[in-house]
Each structure stands twice: as C-alpha cells, then as structure tokens.
C-alpha cells in the first residue's frame, strides 16, 4: 500500500532538498496520486533532475515494492545511486540486469531487455509493484516496453521523458491516459538555474574544394 510520510519525516531522512521547479512538480504528483490518478507522464528537459524528482516522490510515498525501468545497463546503476543519495536504504535496492538478478529486494532497478524476458517477467505477479517508473518512456512504443507495461498492474505508473513526441506517430501520451503530471520547460529550467546556460552555433553550409 502507498502511504505518504509526513513532511517532517521526509526532511529528516532526505540528504538533499528539491530545487527549481522540483517542489512544485512533486506537489503535482502528490495531488494527482491522492486524487486517484493511476498513470502520469513527467515531462522535463534533459538535465532537470527527473530521476531525483521521482526519488523524492518515492521517498514520500514509501511503496511496499518499487520498480525503476531503464533502457541501458549503464543508466540503471546511476539511477539506483541517485535514489540512495536521496535517502533510500541501499540494502533495500537491487539490480536486475544481464549480470545481476537481485529480484527479492523491495526497490528494483531493471533494464528493459532483462525484465522483458519471459522467465524474468513472469517471476513477478502483475501486482507485485505498487509504484513503477519508466525512464525515457518515449521508447514506450517498442515491443519490449509494450510487453512490460501491459503486464504489470501497479497502483501508480510514472513515465519520464524529455521528448514524448515520436516520429513514428506512436501515441506515448495514450499509455498514460493523456495525464501529464508536470512539465519542466527548458526556458523555466534555465531561469531557475537548473541548467547551465548555453548558446547554439549553427553552420548553414559547408563547401569543400
């Protein structure tokens, strides 16, 4: 069951504090979940801390079991480390990859390639996880993602991406019933000093003699 901790306890256990647009985004997640929403998209420019933002919400939500799904093994360890920095007990976390099969942990960080394998996926009951995060959910139209998303029945499903619009016309928003929890726009992130300012320099034409 998802039970939200009071804010005082949250501040005691967290090593970090939300910044920029993150407090507002977390509040939006809280309001929507408590309002009965089952699935939402968190849309944010690259570098705005979507993984940390989800970790803050999971720390407050305190799900019985939690699953974080990524598309590359390099990212899965980084995501787990981010959650540990926020305050999740490292002893409660496990990796589910081609090399690691720590499937009995309360908080599992998995690659989609491993999780989608029948012998792995069907080890879990469809309602095994209260809270599932799908990172880089713009990949959600792929067969592996469709298989995993279609199999599980979490109390809450969060998809995170900077670019939900796809060139193949697959409707990522439909996977989440067109519910957008929050959007951190690039312009706002720069104003809040969440990102380092940058300038584009384009080359219109190159001629080689």
């Amino acid at each position: 069951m998802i039970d939200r901790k009071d804010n005082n306890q949250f501040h005691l256990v967290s090593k970090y504090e939300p910044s920029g647009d993150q407090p507002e985004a977390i509040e939006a997640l809280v309001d929507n979940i408590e309002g009965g929403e089952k699935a939402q998209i968190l849309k944010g420019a690259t570098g705005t801390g979507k993984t940390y933002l989800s970790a803050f919400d999971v720390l407050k939500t305190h799900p019985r079991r939690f699953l974080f799904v990524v598309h590359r093994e390099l990212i899965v360890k980084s995501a787990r480390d981010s959650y540990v920095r926020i305050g999740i007990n490292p002893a409660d976390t496990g990796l589910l990859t081609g090399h690691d099969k720590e499937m009995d942990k309360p908080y599992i960080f998995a690659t989609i390639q491993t999780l989608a394998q029948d012998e792995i996926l069907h080890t879990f009951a469809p309602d095994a996880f209260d809270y599932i995060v799908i990172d880089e959910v713009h990949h959600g139209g792929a067969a592996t993602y469709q298989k995993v998303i279609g199999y599980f029945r979490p109390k809450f499903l969060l998809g995170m991406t900077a670019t939900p619009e796809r060139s193949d016309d697959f409707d990522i928003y439909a996977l989440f019933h067109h519910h957008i929890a929050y959007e951190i726009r690039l312009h706002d992130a720069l104003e809040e000093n969440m990102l380092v300012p940058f300038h584009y320099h384009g080359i219109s034409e190159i001629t080689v003699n």
Side-chain angles (χ1 to χ4, degrees):
M1 191 174 175
I2 296 181
D3 294 320
R4 296 204 169 270
K5 298 180 178 181
D6 61 71
N7 287 333
N8 289 332
Q9 186 177 5
F10 166 63
H11 288 299
L12 284 172
V13 299
S14 180
K15 300 175 183 178
Y16 295 84
E17 294 292 334
S19 61
D21 277 10
Q22 289 179 341
E24 187 174 342
I26 294 169
E27 196 62 36
L29 280 170
V30 172
D31 291 344
N32 290 332
I33 293 174
E34 292 181 346
E37 299 289 356
K38 299 295 185 182
Q40 298 177 68
I41 287 181
L42 175 61
K43 183 179 178 181
T46 300
T48 53
K50 294 186 292 296
T51 299
Y52 278 107
L53 200 156
S54 69
F56 283 123
D57 190 62
V58 168
L59 190 65
K60 295 179 71 174
T61 305
H62 194 58
R64 178 181 53 87
R65 292 202 78 187
F66 167 77
L67 175 65
F68 192 104
V69 182
V70 305
H71 69 292
R72 287 191 300 173
E73 188 166 341
L74 180 65
I75 300 174
V76 77
K77 295 179 181 178
S78 175
R80 194 269 301 274
D81 291 346
S82 296
Y83 271 65
V84 169
R85 290 189 192 100
I86 293 300
I88 299 298
N89 185 352
D92 289 337
T93 67
L95 298 178
L96 180 53
T97 69
H99 299 93
D100 303 284
K101 301 293 186 294
E102 300 169 318
M103 301 167 64
D104 59 338
K105 299 292 187 177
Y107 292 75
I108 296 178
F109 297 80
T111 60
I112 187 66
Q113 295 86 356
T114 300
L115 183 62
Q117 296 173 19
D118 286 339
E119 65 271 22
I120 299 294
L121 184 62
H122 294 286
T123 301
F124 302 103
D127 61 352
F129 299 101
D130 297 323
Y131 196 132
I132 295 179
V133 173
I134 308 292
D135 191 31
E136 304 292 353
V137 77
H138 51 270
H139 296 294
T144 50
Y145 282 87
Q146 290 287 292
K147 182 177 181 179
V148 168
I149 293 173
Y151 178 77
F152 285 116
R153 296 288 181 268
K155 291 184 172 65
F156 183 66
L157 175 67
L158 178 66
M160 303 193 303
T161 181
T163 55
E165 294 80 12
R166 288 171 52 97
S167 59
D168 63 1
D169 294 328
F170 184 88
D171 189 357
I172 295 297
Y173 292 106
L175 294 176
F176 298 85
H177 313 294
H178 296 273
H179 294 152
I180 300 176
Y182 197 80
E183 180 176 357
I184 303 177
R185 297 179 181 275
L186 180 60
H187 180 269
D188 295 332
L190 290 169
E191 284 194 345
E192 293 287 345
N193 295 316
M194 299 175 73
L195 297 174
V196 176
F198 60 89
H199 297 280
Y200 282 113
H201 295 278
I203 299 175
S204 60
E205 184 177 356
I206 298 177
T207 302
V208 178
N209 186 344

